[in-house]
Amino acid sequence: MLHWSLIVSALGVCVSALGGYCGWVLFPSMVHKKVEQSVIIADGSEQYKRFVNLPQPLNFKVYIFNVTNPDRIQQGAIPIVEEIGPYVYKQFRQKKVKHFSRDGSKISYVQNVHFDFDADASAPYTQDDRIVALNMHMNAFLQVFEREITDIFQGFANRLNSRLNQTPGVRVLKRLMERIRGKRKSVLQISENDPGLALLLVHLNANLKAVFNDPRSMFVQTSVREYLFDGVRFCINPQGIAKAICNQIKESGSKTIREQSDGSLAFSFFGHKNGSGHDVYEVHTGKGDAMRVLEIQKLDDSHNLQVWLNASTEGETSVCNQINGTDASAYPPFRQRGDSMYIFSADICRSVQLFYQSDIQYQGIPGYRYSIGENFINDIGPEHDNECFCVDKLANVIKRKNGCLYAGALDLTTCLDAPVILTLPHMLGASNEYRKMIRGLKPDAKKHQTFVDVQSLTGTPLQGGKRVQFNMFLKSINRITITENLPTVLMPAIWVEEGIQLNSEMVAFFKKKLINSLKTLNIVHWGTLCGGLAVAVLSLLYYIYQRGRVEEPPVK
């Protein structure tokens, strides 16, 4: 009996050791290999099918800043806004694959997007709700016109200054030109004494009514449907100079402005996104390195953007123009606590870094939460080594002396070909220079911060959303009557949340394919480890107990 108890104890140790080996070596290796196989995009695989057609639509929520005092703003009052929404849309994404690379490590595609209004999720709001919102297309036209003429004037000033350097006896004129450039005045202000430019502005002012449907203010009364997708119409049967202005707007190629069947134009925020895509993406398939799966390699056959300023060294790409990360539809697998990752958003023409925040549980699925850091739009400028974001395309607005905007705002003029300013929703974290000029903003980090919850092993997004706000400076432009009393203010238009919440069907699928298997392996691991140890210890104790009984001297 003593002999067999030792054998059983030894067997228990072996079983326990086997459990430890399986749980800490064999099973993790098996799972790692299985995950690698499941995330790699190979032609005909299940992952390829999920890559081409997302298993469920994304949630696209739009919140609109309804302007409650447009008439008073026209007289110089501080704007008062009221958030309405969300207006919820289901965003369906389908990729049209062009080809794989020869070694199968890259795949290129064009992404088509379709939006369906979700009436149930949006209730009580409807697309027919009437709103008073910033007239984006008219304001953009006036500011782009101002910018282009200003650029022409600055070029003239630079050329004149170059000649002054070579001409003796004109130091007074040279000092005058330096003062003009130092103040960075708009040509629309300087031109008061220039008959040619003044006449141009008079004609522009006189034809605004014919171009923009007889506007009474810088705000437009319209429906949500028109403002977001169908389009707010203008340039309706223009004549003379107005027609020439409309032709110029049409030829500018703005994505947000489309020509209608009757020849008029229409502005909408997202109408251009609803349909076939044009940008060609090339991403990594994960073959050879699963950690790089869906990492964007090229956009329109280029490894970098040409949107932001580049370094002074010829051929050197600035950090602002670098394309990093995935498109946020999925993330690399095998996430670790404390790490970070990148997403790239074509809508704002830049890469965004996400940082680990905490462990989370989403409907029984464990994961990690990531969110943006201070370096998104709060830390921009020479002191942060990213002055390439300071495109300085806006005249006479609230900005720093070096041309950069204040913290919490990013100029998207070179990205969108329109003077649009990016902030977080309700200007969360933005400088007081912007927030103090608006009434009705209620920033809340829980509601307005960008975050994503990711299943740590596979990189699958569980829930989250990209949250950004689009704004435009409102300001007075000399000789443009409709703007003459406007305050200079960063005016909010809309904010959007684009994200996902894994539905019950996908949660069940995910648990069946991964979580339940991991739980089974975990039970086997700890069952054999602890069971073997328990058998070994009990057998050893039994051996010691029996041996003690044998060695006891007989009682006399």
Side-chain angles (χ1 to χ4, degrees):
M1 288 293 297
L2 297 179
H3 172 71
W4 283 107
S5 64
L6 286 178
I7 293 177
V8 171
S9 180
L11 287 174
V13 171
C14 292
V15 170
S16 179
L18 180 62
Y21 170 76
C22 289
W24 290 313
V25 180
L26 181 61
F27 292 166
S29 177
M30 290 170 54
V31 171
H32 192 284
K33 189 173 182 178
K34 189 68 176 178
V35 170
E36 277 191 343
Q37 292 173 348
S38 68
V39 301
I40 292 174
I41 302 169
D43 195 3
S45 67
E46 289 297 319
Q47 178 67 353
Y48 176 81
K49 295 176 183 177
R50 290 191 291 268
F51 169 76
V52 172
N53 289 292
L54 288 182
Q56 70 174 82
L58 300 181
N59 297 320
F60 190 79
K61 301 178 181 179
V62 184
Y63 299 80
I64 298 174
F65 289 100
N66 190 55
V67 181
T68 63
N69 63 336
D71 294 336
R72 294 193 61 197
I73 298 172
Q74 287 295 132
Q75 301 304 316
I78 290 178
I80 301 175
V81 296
E82 177 187 20
E83 176 191 286
I84 57 174
Y87 296 89
V88 183
Y89 297 81
K90 293 180 180 179
Q91 184 189 109
F92 296 88
R93 292 185 180 183
Q94 183 181 47
K95 297 179 179 69
K96 184 178 180 181
V97 175
K98 297 178 74 69
H99 59 79
F100 281 89
S101 62
R102 289 186 177 181
D103 62 357
S105 64
K106 312 289 192 308
I107 184 173
S108 62
Y109 64 91
V110 173
Q111 182 162 260
N112 298 331
V113 178
H114 177 71
F115 294 87
D116 276 347
F117 182 66
D118 190 335
D120 292 336
S122 301
Y125 302 106
T126 74
Q127 291 191 98
D128 295 320
D129 292 344
R130 303 298 294 179
I131 58 171
V132 178
L134 179 63
N135 193 328
M136 298 286 285
H137 50 290
M138 183 169 72
N139 194 39
F141 168 74
L142 292 175
Q143 293 195 35
V144 168
F145 179 86
E146 179 186 28
R147 185 189 78 211
E148 290 181 349
I149 299 299
T150 302
D151 289 345
I152 292 172
F153 178 81
Q154 291 294 338
F156 167 76
N158 290 335
R159 290 193 300 272
L160 180 58
N161 187 61
S162 177
R163 291 185 180 181
L164 291 176
N165 284 330
Q166 304 170 17
T167 306
V170 287
R171 294 179 180 176
V172 175
L173 289 176
K174 181 178 179 181
R175 285 198 296 270
L176 177 60
M177 296 303 300
E178 288 175 348
R179 286 177 60 192
I180 291 173
R181 280 200 310 278
K183 293 181 179 180
R184 300 188 67 83
K185 287 186 177 180
S186 164
V187 68
L188 299 182
Q189 293 175 322
I190 297 169
S191 65
E192 288 185 7
N193 298 319
D194 187 311
L197 289 174
L199 183 61
L200 178 64
L201 293 171
V202 168
H203 280 300
L204 173 62
N205 186 64
N207 284 276
L208 281 180
K209 292 183 178 181
V211 174
F212 296 106
N213 307 339
D214 194 15
R216 303 306 173 94
S217 76
M218 292 299 293
F219 303 94
V220 61
Q221 295 187 30
T222 184
S223 70
V224 171
R225 187 193 307 274
E226 291 173 341
Y227 200 57
L228 298 183
F229 285 96
D230 286 359
V232 179
R233 293 175 66 223
F234 64 103
C235 283
I236 301 173
N237 195 28
Q239 301 295 324
I241 294 177
K243 186 174 183 178
I245 293 174
C246 289
N247 287 336
Q248 185 65 35
I249 294 174
K250 181 168 59 177
E251 293 170 4
S252 68
S254 172
K255 294 179 180 179
T256 59
I257 294 176
R258 293 178 295 173
E259 185 175 6
Q260 305 298 292
S261 58
D262 62 358
S264 65
L265 301 179
F267 161 84
S268 67
F269 261 101
F270 306 115
H272 66 284
K273 296 182 64 176
N274 200 7
S276 300
H278 301 285
D279 297 331
V280 180
Y281 287 85
E282 181 182 272
V283 301
H284 205 288
T285 63
K287 184 178 180 180
D289 187 355
M291 290 294 291
R292 299 184 65 188
V293 67
L294 293 177
E295 180 183 285
I296 299 173
Q297 305 296 296
K298 291 182 182 179
L299 178 60
D300 289 334
D301 206 33
S302 177
H303 291 285
N304 303 294
L305 300 174
Q306 297 298 324
V307 172
W308 309 100
L309 302 176
N310 269 323
S312 56
T313 306
E314 187 175 350
E316 185 177 347
T317 301
S318 67
V319 63
C320 305
N321 278 321
Q322 293 176 2
I323 299 175
N324 299 312
T326 72
D327 69 351
S329 61
Y331 302 91
F334 314 121
R335 311 308 310 162
Q336 299 292 324
R337 290 183 182 88
D339 66 1
S340 65
M341 57 189 183
Y342 281 91
I343 59 174
F344 174 77
S345 175
D347 292 334
I348 61 173
C349 302
R350 63 163 294 182
S351 302
V352 180
Q353 190 173 16
L354 300 174
F355 299 90
Y356 167 84
Q357 296 296 316
S358 62
D359 286 27
I360 59 94
Q361 284 277 338
Y362 178 78
Q363 296 189 30
I365 302 175
Y368 298 150
R369 172 160 294 184
Y370 293 83
S371 68
I372 59 174
E374 291 291 325
N375 64 340
F376 176 40
I377 50 176
N378 282 357
D379 295 345
I380 291 178
E383 65 273 29
H384 302 292
D385 297 323
N386 59 4
E387 63 268 33
C388 43
F389 284 125
C390 301
V391 294
D392 198 14
K393 291 290 185 180
L394 303 172
N396 303 316
V397 298
I398 305 169
K399 60 183 177 181
R400 294 154 62 187
K401 291 182 179 179
N402 61 7
C404 298
L405 298 182
Y406 286 99
L410 177 65
D411 184 359
L412 296 182
T413 299
T414 54
C415 170
L416 302 179
D417 290 325
V420 176
I421 307 300
L422 180 78
T423 66
L424 292 181
H426 286 253
M427 297 187 189
L428 174 68
S431 173
N432 193 46
E433 277 80 1
Y434 301 132
R435 290 189 291 109
K436 70 181 180 182
M437 297 300 293
I438 296 289
R439 299 288 183 268
L441 298 179
K442 300 176 182 179
D444 183 337
K446 291 183 178 179
K447 295 180 181 178
H448 303 140
Q449 187 72 283
T450 290
F451 80 99
V452 62
D453 293 341
V454 177
Q455 205 290 315
S456 54
L457 195 59
T458 64
T460 302
L462 304 173
Q463 68 171 344
K466 296 185 294 183
R467 297 163 173 168
V468 292
Q469 179 171 306
F470 298 102
N471 317 264
M472 191 177 282
F473 277 107
L474 197 64
K475 62 179 183 175
S476 173
I477 299 177
N478 193 51
R479 292 185 181 270
I480 305 299
T481 306
I482 201 171
T483 72
E484 60 186 0
N485 294 317
L486 290 175
T488 300
V489 57
L490 184 58
M491 191 74 197
I494 65 172
W495 74 269
V496 299
E497 177 181 336
E498 184 180 64
I500 190 172
Q501 280 190 318
L502 215 60
N503 59 31
S504 56
E505 182 181 345
M506 287 302 300
V507 167
F509 172 81
F510 202 86
K511 286 182 176 180
K512 179 180 178 182
K513 289 290 186 179
L514 179 67
I515 303 302
N516 292 343
S517 298
L518 292 177
K519 286 181 178 179
T520 300
L521 293 178
N522 204 39
I523 291 171
V524 172
H525 166 211
W526 290 107
T528 53
L529 178 66
C530 297
L533 281 176
V535 169
V537 170
L538 290 174
S539 298
L540 185 60
L541 290 175
Y542 180 76
Y543 168 77
I544 294 172
Y545 171 74
Q546 290 293 342
R547 184 174 180 179
R549 288 187 60 188
V550 170
E551 292 179 353
E552 285 182 5
V555 180
K556 296 182 180 179

